[in-house]
């Protein structure tokens, strides 16, 4: 048994990673941060890369990643600028933090927020300027125990965004965390790490966005931790458009105190292999957690959404809806878990996963799960897989709309339902055009 | 509120009423499992060589496996060398004459509500009774014979219908399927065998009652039902066991084969001893049940009411191979006190235009855990497959758990698969409403639970539906709180 | 039949009923009216034995027996019927099955043999005709997916089946349009037999146009502050509750 384990993990990537960590350790200053990362690396070495033998990775193999070499690099090229200015996000009136292969690009980043008590910076800067807050929150919510990819990120994180909103403050403009993987010279590995702290009664909108350029492969392994203090309201959108040979694993953790509202939307419009892990933990009563997702897949792409909502306290509400449209030889995986803890009475939790298959060669594996340990709860979940509704198609055609137009009309309506959960109208409009183009 | 809790405690606290033992002289195999044990069982049954070979192959395979660990519950490890694999009443039994059956044994079956001697006068149900490892009596054999229907014990079938047994045994559940299927293939003692010939509609319900009696024994029966083209059969099994402090293992295998246009309806009312309030004793019910719709337009329908066993672990499944074939699974699982149930189904769509339907109702009370685990798989060539799954849980009291793990794997775009699930509790307002109409709290709970399960209970043959309703009420006695 | 003496009750420490006195004789129809929050629904809940309320004082006797000592089901079996303001849905349980259980539980309590299936069905058919009930309703799950009007009619139908001595109607008119109100009232009137008594709790007078009360009581701040005949209800309809409130406040001041 142990033998097999060793062989499987003796991969190219693992070697690179080990080298990277030794290099990092040689330069790092001793202290808590280093200790934390050493522990994380030990955990990663213990666990190794996830394999399909593990229930949580049953349908998603990382072999295509682990059998490859990826380098961490931070050289920045001018074509990155073009990509940035061509993007829909750059048109927004917003605060920008732009990262290429996990490193901050100062020239493209700009902060327009006037209130000086609000901090929008890189992790590297925050470790110098906001040490107390950083140390208080970093690594507290996205756990590394048993989670190999989180451990790997914690051990070898490059840089990332740090956002701090003090008590009662509202961030006027969205904060766009703009990530680009530049694989024009070689296969690149980026491990961004974001920490978002929204204190009591504060309000904040985050747009996390991913692009790629270059003909080589890229692997992004990102962790985003968000702490929402009592009564805070956080809007969080993740938009994935990494075209090309792009692999991404991300882990997004929300930790909610009482009375918080979180609205999260994930749009996966491109990527060879995308694994989204989205976790909510409700640590107080009267929390609202909204999770919405849309994935449009094609070619041999694989998009895997693993979500988990922990109703740890009574009187909380969660609503989850994930929709997929599958083309080509693509595969979609959905695994949603709602966990209602002991004594989390009066929980209301809803979950739905809908899939439309447009190709004979596409595959859907979906597993909507409920685990309930309290008796006074209302939980429903459901999953559907199928083609477009024939009734609706017939209705439109009988009104004289040709079949292909009718199909597109229905698909767009189906997809836009999720995009419209994003509360930035300019962005929604541009995204809708994008989605329309993909269909 | 406090008062209500008491009532619920009383309701749940009712004793298991089939817990008696029967004093009958038994012949047993020595404890433990070696090749010798298997040779012993095989020779006791004077089996042909091919059967022994099959058993030994399964045994060798089993030895290479380790017991599974993926399930959603924990249980003390089973010591497979501490089990008696064969136990049979010593008295010589002639199968076609009930008069020669040990009166003690007949009394046992009467206590269970299965009066074999009166069976002759009743119509409607033919019974095969399995006591520990051996099939004791099969009623209505002659009447069935006239129609060409074979309904006998597995040991008899091995001797008298070797061609059918050779052809179909292990064809749906190979011994390589899983740990317990391998164990069963190696040591299975007896069970029922049914063959319905072409175009015959079986005129009565066929039924098997299983009873574990002897101490330290495991029960490993094997059932094989073959419905030939255009035939129909409805089959029911019931199970009980004495109350004992140690856990006993029940690892059965059931195989169903439905040929073109044939229909098999298989119903189970499972009431093995669940252990006491603190989780001591009780049966480990690790069963592999699977049916295959081999021909076009075939249909297999599983209905189960599971109230007993300390641990239940079973997934009656359908392989829908024939085009237009249909698979159904209707289940009620009730857990109380420390019971754990992990049950569900697998619907494997292979043929075109295949349909499946799953209705699962889980009720958890006390500190019990009830898990639905199901798989709906649509293969690439299974055009226009349809599945609808409904999975409802009800929790009684706030120390129990309900878990739903549906797996849906779709490889064909014309599939339509829907899964719906909900969780609810018995509302205080519902109980008060019943109270106000003069219905006491206990009856009210029974009424509400039966209402919750109605879709499934409706699937049972009439006589057993009533029995199952009572069983539900009894299983939940003392559960409200 | 029903005698309420100085009844006091509270919920979660808040006093809702503060000394109610009411005597209902066989065959009488009493209307209990009052502004929102006066304690009308609490009165019906306490009489039916809902556990949320704590009785802190007073007595209620029903045909000489202490009603407050009895469990809710025993009160029902003794002949107290509460027509719920919000009838409860019980999925999977048909009205027929529900009523059969209820009637036989009551018969058991009274020391009678259970009613046989055929006798029961015959009895139910008669009552259905009398109440002009749609047959489809009785085979559907109890109140599940029923409209507001259907639910209320089902309450009155259940009343006809269970043949109570005393019926307490808790705001049966709420949420009903005029046609439904007429149907429900017609049902109730058919059940009046000179022996059976009714306590009709309502906020509005319009129900009392159809079910004409012998007595009208005004409940305010947990007490009956005014009693009269049917004309009192008309007066309340015309003038609202403010003048009663004013009278009470004045009384308290002098």
């Amino acid at each position: 048994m142990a033998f097999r384990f060793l062989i499987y993990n003796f991969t190219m990537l693992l070697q690179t990673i080990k080298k990277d960590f030794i290099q990092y350790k040689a330069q790092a200053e001793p202290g808590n941060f280093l200790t934390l990362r050493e522990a994380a690396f030990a955990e990663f070495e213990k666990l190794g890369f996830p394999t399909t033998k593990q229930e949580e990775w049953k349908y998603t193999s990382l072999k295509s990643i682990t059998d490859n070499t990826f380098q961490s690099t931070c050289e920045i090229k001018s074509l990155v600028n073009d990509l940035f200015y061509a993007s829909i996000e750059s048109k927004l009136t917003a605060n920008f933090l732009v990262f290429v292969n996990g490193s901050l690009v100062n020239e493209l980043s700009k902060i327009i927020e006037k209130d000086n008590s609000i901090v929008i910076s890189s992790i590297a800067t925050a470790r110098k300027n906001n040490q107390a807050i950083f140390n208080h929150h970093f690594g507290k919510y996205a756990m590394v125990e048993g989670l190999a990819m989180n451990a790997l990120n914690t051990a070898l994180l490059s840089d990332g965004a740090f956002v701090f909103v003090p008590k009662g403050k509202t961030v006027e403009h969205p904060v766009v965390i703009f990530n680009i993987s530049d694989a024009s010279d070689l296969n690149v590995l980026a491990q961004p790490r974001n920490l978002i702290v929204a204190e009591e009664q504060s309000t904040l909108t985050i747009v996390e966005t991913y692009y790629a350029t270059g003909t080589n492969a890229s692997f992004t392994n990102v962790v985003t931790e968000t702490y929402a203090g009592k009564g805070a309201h956080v809007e969080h959108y993740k938009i994935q458009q990494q075209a090309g040979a792009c692999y991404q694993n991300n882990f997004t953790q929300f930790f909610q105190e009482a009375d918080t509202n979180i609205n999260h939307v994930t749009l996966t419009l491109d990527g060879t292999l995308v694994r989204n892990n989205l976790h909510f933990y409700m640590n107080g009563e009267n929390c609202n957690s909204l999770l919405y997702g849309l994935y449009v897949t094609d070619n041999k792409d694989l998009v895997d959404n693993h979500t988990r909502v922990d109703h740890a306290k009574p009187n909380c509400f969660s609503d989850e809806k994930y929709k997929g449209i599958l083309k080509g030889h693509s595969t979609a995986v959905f695994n949603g878990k709602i966990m209602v803890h002991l004594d989390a009475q009066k929980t209301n939790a809803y979950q739905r996963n809908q899939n439309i298959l447009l190709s004979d060669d596409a595959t859907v594996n979906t597993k909507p799960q409920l685990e309930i340990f309290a008796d006074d709860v209302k939980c429903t979940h459901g999953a559907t897989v199928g083609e477009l509704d024939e009734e609706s198609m017939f209705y439109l055609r009988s009104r004289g709309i040709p079949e292909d137009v009718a199909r597109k009309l229905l698909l767009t309506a189906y997809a836009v339902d999720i995009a419209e959960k994003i509360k930035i109208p300019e962005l929604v409009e541009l995204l809708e055009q994008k989605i329309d183009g993909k269909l | 509120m406090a008062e209500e809790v008491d009532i619920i405690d009383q309701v749940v606290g009712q004793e298991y009423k089939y817990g008696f033992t029967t004093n009958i002289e038994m012949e047993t195999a020595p404890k433990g499992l070696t090749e010798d044990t298997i040779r012993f069982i095989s020779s006791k049954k004077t089996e042909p060589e091919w059967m022994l070979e099959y058993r030994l192959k399964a045994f060798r395979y089993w030895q290479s496996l380790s017991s599974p660990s993926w399930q959603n519950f924990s249980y003390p490890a089973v010591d497979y060398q501490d089990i008696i694999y064969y136990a049979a009443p010593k008295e010589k039994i002639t199968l076609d004459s009930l008069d020669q059956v040990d009166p003690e044994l007949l009394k046992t079956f009467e206590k269970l509500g299965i009066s074999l001697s009166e069976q002759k006068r009743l119509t409607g149900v033919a019974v095969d009774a399995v006591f520990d490892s051996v099939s004791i009596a099969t009623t209505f054999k002659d009447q069935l014979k006239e129609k060409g229907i074979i309904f006998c014990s597995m040991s008899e079938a091995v001797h008298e219908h070797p061609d059918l047994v050779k052809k179909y045994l292990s064809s749906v559940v190979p011994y390589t399927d899983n740990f317990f299927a391998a164990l069963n293939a190696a040591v299975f003692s007896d069970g029922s065998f049914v063959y319905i010939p072409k175009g015959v509609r079986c005129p009565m319900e066929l039924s098997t009652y299983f009873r574990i009696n002897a101490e330290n024994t495991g029960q490993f029966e094997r059932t094989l039902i073959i419905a030939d083209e255009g035939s129909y059969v409805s089959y029911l099994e019931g199970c009980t066991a004495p109350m004992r402090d140690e856990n006993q293992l029940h690892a059965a295998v059931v195989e169903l084969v439905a040929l073109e246009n044939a229909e098999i309806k298989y119903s189970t009312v499972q009431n093995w001893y669940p252990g006491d309030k603190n989780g001591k004793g009780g049966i480990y019910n690790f069963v592999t049940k699977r049916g295959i719709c081999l021909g076009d337009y075939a249909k297999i329908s599983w209905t189960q009411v599971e109230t007993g066993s300390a641990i239940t672990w079973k997934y009656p499944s359908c392989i829908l191979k024939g085009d237009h074939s249909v698979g159904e699974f209707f289940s009620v699982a009730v857990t109380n006190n420390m019971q754990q149930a992990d049950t569900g189904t697998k619907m494997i769509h292979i043929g075109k235009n295949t349909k499946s339907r799953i209705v699962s109702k889980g009720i958890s009370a006390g500190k019990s855990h009830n898990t639905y685990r199901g798989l709906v798989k649509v293969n690439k060539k299974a055009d226009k497959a349809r599945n609808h799954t409904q999975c409802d849980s009800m929790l009684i009291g706030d120390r129990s758990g309900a878990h739903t793990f549906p797996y849906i794997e779709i490889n064909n775009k014309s599939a339509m698969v829907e899964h719906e699930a909900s969780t609810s509790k018995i509302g205080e307002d519902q109980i008060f409403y019943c109270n106000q109409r003069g219905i006491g709290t206990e009856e009210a709970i029974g009424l509400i639970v039966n209402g919750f399960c109605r879709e499934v209970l409706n699937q049972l043959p009439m006589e057993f539906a009533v029995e199952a309703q009572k069983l539900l009420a009894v299983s939940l006695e003392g559960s409200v709180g | 039949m029903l005698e309420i003496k100085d009844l006091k009750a509270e919920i979660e420490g808040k006093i809702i009923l503060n000394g109610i006195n009411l005597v209902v004789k066989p065959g009488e129809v009493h209307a209990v009216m009052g502004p929102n929050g006066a304690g009308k629904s609490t009165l019906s809940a306490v009489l039916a034995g809902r556990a949320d309320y704590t009785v802190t004082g007073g007595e209620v006797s029903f045909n000489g027996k202490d009603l407050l000592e009895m469990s809710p089901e025993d009160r029902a079996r003794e002949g107290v019927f509460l027509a719920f303001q919000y009838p409860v849905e019980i999925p999977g349980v048909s009205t027929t099955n529900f009523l059969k259980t209820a009637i036989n539980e009551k018969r058991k309590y009274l020391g009678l043999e259970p009613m046989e299936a055929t006798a029961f069905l015959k009895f139910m058919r008669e009552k259905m005709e009398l109440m002009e009930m749609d047959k489809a309703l009785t085979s559907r799950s109890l109140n599940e997916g029923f409209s507001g009007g259907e639910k209320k009619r089902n309450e009155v139908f259940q009343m006809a089946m269970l043949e109570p001595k005393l019926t307490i109607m808790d705001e049966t008119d709420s949420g009903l349009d005029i046609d439904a109100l007429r149907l429900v009232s017609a049902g109730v009137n058919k059940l009046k037999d000179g022996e059976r008594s009714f306590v009709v709790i309502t906020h509005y007078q319009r129900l009392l146009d159809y079910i004409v009360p012998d007595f009208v009581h005004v409940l305010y701040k947990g007490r009956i502050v005014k009693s009269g005949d049917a004309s009192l209800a008309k007066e309340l309809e015309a003038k609202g509750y403010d003048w009663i409130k004013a009278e009470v406040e004045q009384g308290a001041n002098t």
Side-chain angles (χ1 to χ4, degrees), chain B residues 1 3 7 428-430 432-441 443 447-448 450-452 454, chain C residues 49-50 72-73 76-77 80-82 84 88-89 91-93 98 101-102 105 143 155 158 162:
Chain B
M1 238 347 253
E3 198 182 328
I7 295 167
E428 277 165 47
D429 51 343
Q430 287 176 320
F432 180 70
Y433 189 77
C434 293
N435 287 162
Q436 213 299 309
R437 298 296 183 259
I439 301 168
T441 301
E443 288 81 11
L447 202 65
I448 295 165
N450 274 304
F452 175 71
R454 194 165 69 164
Chain C
R50 206 187 263 279
E73 54 269 36
R77 292 159 185 169
V80 176
F81 182 94
L82 172 65
F84 283 64
V88 174
E89 300 184 0
V93 177
F98 178 72
T101 311
E105 287 294 325
N143 293 327
E155 291 291 289
Q158 289 182 36
L162 292 167

Side-chain angles (χ1 to χ4, degrees), chain B residues 155-282:
Chain B
S155 347
E156 210 180 329
V158 168
H159 287 110
E160 290 176 21
H161 311 285
D163 292 348
L164 284 171
V165 174
K166 267 190 208 164
K167 184 168 178 192
Y168 291 109
L169 185 78
S170 216
S171 72
V172 192
V173 181
Y175 63 81
T176 50
D177 193 79
N178 67 65
F179 183 82
F180 296 105
L183 180 62
N184 177 285
V187 303
F188 79 83
S189 34
D190 213 334
S192 298
F193 176 85
V194 176
Y195 173 79
I196 315 288
K198 269 184 199 175
V200 171
R201 205 182 154 82
C202 185
M204 59 184 85
E205 307 279 345
L206 300 183
S207 172
T208 301
Y209 272 83
F210 295 104
R211 173 82 180 165
I212 297 179
N213 191 60
E215 232 169 312
N216 294 320
T217 49
Q219 180 147 334
F220 307 93
E221 81 275 357
R222 181 136 199 147
T223 301
L224 174 60
I225 299 177
I226 304 145
D228 213 328
E229 288 171 23
S231 67
Y232 168 85
V233 62
S234 169
Y235 183 91
L236 184 124
E237 60 170 16
C239 335
T240 56
M243 290 158 73
R244 297 196 188 280
D245 281 348
E246 84 272 16
N247 297 105
Q248 283 178 287
L249 181 64
H250 173 243
V253 170
V254 175
E255 296 176 283
L256 310 183
V257 180
L259 299 177
E260 199 176 318
N261 262 312
E263 180 177 351
I264 302 175
K265 204 171 149 65
Y266 194 104
S267 314
T268 304
V269 175
Q270 186 264 108
N271 188 23
W272 295 119
Y273 176 55
D276 71 5
K277 237 187 221 170
N278 303 314
K280 199 169 165 92

Side-chain angles (χ1 to χ4, degrees), chain A residues 55 59 361 364 366 370-371, chain B residues 380 403-404 407-410:
Chain A
E55 181 64 23
Y59 299 112
D361 299 309
V364 171
T366 169
L370 289 176
E371 292 213 53
Chain B
K380 206 166 159 49
H403 315 265
T404 318
Y407 292 74
I408 301 167
E409 302 178 8
I410 310 300

